[in-house]
Each structure stands twice: as structure tokens, then as C-alpha cells.
């Protein structure tokens, strides 16, 4: 599940939606990236706050990292891979 604000952010800034299959290829393609784990924006309305802040972070860091949004179907499996416990989350990766 997404929200209108998250969908709008993805459309406006061309942030990809990654499922499990696309995840590994994406992080291999981009030496620096940030993955946005939204969970359910109805349960975690802070996800909409992050959707407002993420483009500003991207801009402030001169587009240094490539943002992507993790698809709802992949979030729990990838959460276990990265080991975070709070929602929403931004996971920053380098190489």
C-alpha cells in the first residue's frame, strides 16, 4: 500500500519502485543509494513526512545517492536483511 504523496514523489522525481528481484541489481548499479521503506502509510503516517524530506535530502547532497522506494511486497524480507526495527526507514548504502 502506498499513499498519494508517496506516489507523487516517485512520479515527480522518477524514483523507482523496487521489488525483491530488482533490489540487488539496483544496488549494484548505483554505488551510493538510499532505500525508502514506507511500510503502510496508513499505519505509519510518518512515511508521508519522509516522502517530503527525501527529495530535499537528495538535493542537499547534490544528488550524490540514488533514491528508490521498496515495494510493499518486498519490505519485510528486505527489512530482515538490513536489520532495522523502525518504520518508516531510510537505508543508505555505499558500494
Amino acid at each position: 500500500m502506498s499513499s498519494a504523496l508517496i506516489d507523487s514523489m516517485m512520479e515527480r522525481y522518477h524514483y523507482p519502485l523496487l521489488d525483491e528481484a530488482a533490489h540487488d541489481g539496483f544496488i549494484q548499479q548505483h554505488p551510493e543509494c538510499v532505500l525508502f521503506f514506507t511500510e503502510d502509510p496508513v499505519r505509519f503516517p510518518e512515511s508521508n513526512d519522509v516522502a517530503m524530506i527525501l527529495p530535499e535530502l537528495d538535493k542537499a547532497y547534490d544528488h550524490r545517492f540514488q533514491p528508490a522506494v521498496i515495494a510493499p511486497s518486498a519490505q519485510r524480507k528486505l527489512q530482515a536483511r538490513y536489520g532495522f526495527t523502525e518504520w518508516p526507514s531510510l537505508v543508505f548504502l555505499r558500494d
Side-chain angles (χ1 to χ4, degrees):
M1 172 180 256
S2 191
S3 72
L5 188 58
I6 293 169
D7 292 342
S8 174
M9 174 203 65
M10 291 171 56
E11 183 178 322
R12 180 174 181 187
Y13 297 101
H14 308 286
Y15 295 162
L17 182 66
L18 303 179
D19 60 15
E20 254 187 295
H23 167 268
D24 288 341
F26 179 83
I27 63 173
Q28 289 171 358
Q29 238 182 341
H30 302 283
E32 294 181 287
C33 57
V34 58
L35 308 176
F36 180 16
F37 288 79
T38 64
E39 228 303 340
D40 177 359
V42 173
R43 286 184 49 215
F44 298 96
E46 298 87 352
S47 293
N48 289 315
D49 297 337
V50 175
M52 295 293 294
I53 294 167
L54 182 55
E56 295 300 318
L57 283 172
D58 186 25
K59 183 179 174 183
Y61 284 91
D62 200 28
H63 308 287
R64 179 178 172 176
F65 49 83
Q66 175 60 50
V69 178
I70 302 300
S73 62
Q75 292 201 26
R76 290 293 172 168
K77 288 182 182 176
L78 291 175
Q79 175 209 18
R81 181 173 179 176
Y82 293 114
F84 63 87
T85 58
E86 299 294 323
W87 299 94
S89 286
L90 294 174
V91 174
F92 289 82
L93 301 172
R94 177 181 282 162
D95 294 323

